[in-house]
Amino acid sequence: MSRHVAIVTDSTAYLPARTMERHGITAVPLTVVLGDRALEEGTEISTRALAQALQKRRSVTTSRPSPALFEETYRKVAESGATGIVSLHLSAELSGTYDAAVVAARQAPVPVRVVDTGMIAMALGFCALAAAQTAESGGTVDEAVTAAEKRAAGTSAYFYVDTLDYLRRGGRIGAAQALLGSALAVKPLLQLADGRIQPLEKVRTASKAIARLEEIAAERAGSAQVDVAVHHLAAPDRASALADRLRARVSGLADLHVSEVGAVIGAHTGPGLLGVVVSPQ
């Protein structure tokens, strides 16, 4: 970790553990409430357990980290030698995590800049990496924030879900939109826009929807040098095949990450999720 500027994010960034360790990034966990049990994402609930609970239609909700947890994190990071902290989080339109971080920042022993990236999953992860790389090269807090915001502005995220029902239940998409998708028996493609999950296209079959997802991601990448992430929930074969096709199609591909989303995003999308994040360097 930089001895001057430290990077904090949250568990929905879904950065590989080795990457976080190498760049000194700290993640504050969100919580998944399964029935009457509150479980920390990443350590206390697996994605397999989550998928099984969703398939059995058990009650699953999510919760932001407490300000107290952020305060503890900021204190530990400061004790490790940081003189400033950049705290980067998932869209405030989707979670109260940003608000909790802002409250905690007021009590931190060193200056903290809290940033609503408007992103989720590796769209957030790429922002955290950009900030960490800037800090590692001696950048200031302001420079690390600028690097993260620039990365966020150029990053696009697209999603395929088998059903909109989980998003409707979690309040992340309107009931009317979810009902329309079910009534027409279409497979929805979604995008992250203005910090919200919004409908992009409706396609008649799963295979056509996944092919269209690939096409949209490849068109967005163009010939620029880009990092790409492919996410899934309980669909490893689909994700691997999609990643292979994107690897062949995207001429400027720098890094390609394939990973299963954690329980927080999975709770709102359901099994069968495929997501693609395209982030120009």
Side-chain angles (χ1 to χ4, degrees):
M1 181 178 69
S2 166
R3 303 302 294 177
H4 300 289
V5 177
I7 307 304
V8 172
T9 187
D10 59 67
S11 59
T12 67
Y14 301 138
L15 285 162
R18 286 181 297 180
T19 300
M20 291 180 59
E21 183 177 356
R22 183 165 68 250
H23 294 283
I25 299 170
T26 302
V28 178
L30 275 74
T31 298
V32 176
V33 182
L34 185 58
D36 59 356
R37 299 176 62 206
L39 306 167
E40 282 191 356
E41 180 176 44
T43 58
E44 296 180 339
I45 180 170
S46 68
T47 49
R48 175 174 294 184
L50 170 79
Q52 290 173 344
L54 291 173
Q55 289 164 344
K56 293 177 181 177
R57 301 189 70 81
R58 294 182 61 189
S59 172
V60 180
T61 58
T62 59
S63 177
R64 71 177 190 179
S66 68
L69 183 54
F70 273 112
E71 284 185 36
E72 179 184 1
T73 301
Y74 296 153
R75 177 181 54 78
K76 288 181 177 178
V77 169
E79 289 173 353
S80 73
T83 57
I85 299 170
V86 177
S87 198
L88 302 158
H89 300 292
L90 81 161
S91 172
E93 295 285 347
L94 302 175
S95 168
T97 299
Y98 167 80
D99 294 331
V102 168
V103 170
R106 299 181 187 129
Q107 309 301 321
V110 297
V112 180
R113 284 281 301 278
V114 183
V115 180
D116 171 13
T117 67
M119 301 282 110
I120 53 175
M122 273 298 292
L124 168 59
F126 287 133
C127 294
L129 278 175
Q133 289 162 353
T134 299
E136 287 166 4
S137 65
T140 64
V141 165
D142 287 346
E143 288 168 340
V145 169
T146 296
E149 290 177 338
K150 182 178 179 181
R151 196 69 184 255
T155 296
S156 300
Y158 308 101
F159 307 93
Y160 160 82
V161 291
D162 278 332
T163 173
L164 291 171
D165 190 46
Y166 297 105
L167 285 163
R168 177 194 58 78
R169 279 194 259 167
R172 265 57 179 189
I173 201 166
Q177 293 170 332
L179 181 61
L180 180 62
S182 299
L184 297 177
V186 296
K187 295 297 182 181
L189 292 178
L190 309 167
Q191 65 178 334
L192 189 63
D194 300 322
R196 301 182 181 93
I197 297 172
Q198 299 185 8
L200 179 61
E201 294 182 8
K202 296 183 176 72
V203 187
R204 284 292 180 181
T205 66
S207 61
K208 289 181 179 178
I210 294 169
R212 180 61 181 143
L213 177 66
E214 174 191 338
E215 184 178 355
I216 291 169
E219 289 174 352
R220 174 66 184 86
S223 58
Q225 189 171 31
V226 296
D227 294 325
V228 173
V230 175
H231 289 303
H232 73 93
L233 180 63
D237 294 340
R238 276 180 174 177
S240 179
L242 177 57
D244 287 343
R245 294 194 300 272
L246 287 172
R247 193 176 285 112
R249 288 189 67 167
V250 178
S251 60
L253 184 64
D255 287 323
L256 192 151
H257 303 260
V258 181
S259 65
E260 191 163 32
V261 299
V264 168
I265 289 180
H268 294 291
T269 60
L273 163 76
L274 278 181
V276 180
V277 176
V278 180
S279 184
Q281 290 191 344

